[in-house]
């Protein structure tokens, strides 16, 4: 089985994110265009959220009230009518507008994601049979290459087995090795020559080459 890294959200929308999808030039243009729009909306949504959060906090309220109080005090000292407060209403208006902008961006992003999902679903099914046929052909082609490589290795090992016998070890012609030698990183799981069995090089090569092409 081929390993695939799938950081999925509960609705699967993460597959449309740039880090989780194929390059756009490998996708049909209609879907690539929708994904490009979705990327832009994602950036706009993030910016709208940041703008709204910039207006949060009691410090803004205190500053606005102080600004209105200072303006009122200045007018009083000048013998003028006390003006209506402007800083506090403007802050509230800015907050309302920022929340409205964020809601619009979020709605547009959700709509775009839904369109991507619908179009990807429409595109997906016609691709299945051609992809299965291509993968089956690849398995056949790779299996032939595996056989050629494994045969060459087995022939070389068998040819050296006679010399090995003269040098002391018993005569043994099969080409075998331990998984920890084929995949050294497996040793960190406590595997080694002492607790595993040697496998044929042919089976190791075939397993690595062909399981990644399974349906």
């Amino acid at each position: 089985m081929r390993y695939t890294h799938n950081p999925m959200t509960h609705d699967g929308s993460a597959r449309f994110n740039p880090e989780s999808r194929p390059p756009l030039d490998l996708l049909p243009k209609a879907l690539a265009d929708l994904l490009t729009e979705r990327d832009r909306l994602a950036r706009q949504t993030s910016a709208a959220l940041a703008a709204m959060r910039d207006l949060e906090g009691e410090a803004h309220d205190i500053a606005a009230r102080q600004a209105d109080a200072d303006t009122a005090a200045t007018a009083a000292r000048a013998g003028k009518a006390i003006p209506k407060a402007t800083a506090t209403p403007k802050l509230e208006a800015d907050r309302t507008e920022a929340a409205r902008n964020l809601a619009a961006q979020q709605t547009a992003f959700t709509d775009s994601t839904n369109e991507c999902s619908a179009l990807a679903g429409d595109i997906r099914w016609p691709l299945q049979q051609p992809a299965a046929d291509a993968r089956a052909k690849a398995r056949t082609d790779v299996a032939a290459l595996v056989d050629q490589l494994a045969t060459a290795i087995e022939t070389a090992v068998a040819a050296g087995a006679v010399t090995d016998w003269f040098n002391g070890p018993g005569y043994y012609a099969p080409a075998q090795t331990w998984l920890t030698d084929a995949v050294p990183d497996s040793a960190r799981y406590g595997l080694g020559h002492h607790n595993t069995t040697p496998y044929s090089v042919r089976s190791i090569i075939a397993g690595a080459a062909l399981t990644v092409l399974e349906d």
Side-chain angles (χ1 to χ4, degrees):
M1 178 178 181
R2 180 172 69 95
Y3 167 79
T4 56
H5 179 57
N6 292 315
M8 303 294 282
T9 60
H10 70 282
D11 61 357
S13 64
R15 67 192 176 116
F16 297 123
N17 294 342
E19 69 278 5
S20 300
R21 70 188 185 218
L24 294 180
D25 59 0
L26 297 182
L27 298 174
K29 185 177 184 304
L31 181 57
D33 289 346
L34 269 181
L35 289 169
T36 298
E37 178 190 21
R38 182 179 182 273
D39 291 345
R40 173 177 57 78
L41 290 168
R43 293 191 297 271
Q44 291 174 190
T45 300
S46 295
L49 178 60
M52 188 183 76
R53 286 178 173 170
D54 283 344
L55 295 172
E56 294 176 349
E58 181 64 18
H60 290 291
D61 296 275
I62 293 173
R65 289 195 296 269
Q66 186 62 52
D68 287 333
D70 290 346
T71 299
T74 298
R77 293 194 65 176
K80 297 178 181 179
I82 305 301
K84 291 183 179 181
T86 57
T88 300
K90 182 179 184 305
L91 176 60
E92 292 305 316
D94 288 347
R95 284 172 170 170
T96 298
E97 187 60 23
R100 177 174 172 271
N101 181 38
L102 176 60
Q105 299 294 346
Q106 289 174 328
T107 298
F109 178 77
T110 298
D111 290 345
S112 175
T113 298
N114 290 339
E115 289 181 26
C116 288
S117 182
L119 182 56
D122 291 340
I123 294 171
R124 172 190 175 193
W125 293 112
L127 294 176
Q128 300 307 301
Q129 192 56 53
D133 293 342
R135 188 165 292 180
K137 183 180 183 304
R139 281 197 299 269
T140 299
D141 294 343
V142 170
L145 294 172
V146 166
D147 181 64
Q148 292 177 24
L149 177 58
T151 298
I153 294 171
E154 289 165 350
T155 299
V157 169
V162 173
T163 302
D164 291 339
W165 178 77
F166 274 108
N167 291 336
Y171 179 73
Y172 193 72
Q176 293 182 316
T177 191
W178 285 267
L179 288 178
T180 48
D181 290 341
V183 186
D185 189 57
S186 62
R188 66 192 177 99
Y189 297 104
L191 302 178
H193 292 185
H194 66 288
N195 60 0
T196 58
T197 302
Y199 288 83
S200 72
V201 171
R202 178 180 291 272
S203 67
I204 293 174
I205 296 172
L210 297 177
T211 56
V212 295
L213 293 173
E214 292 176 347
D215 291 326

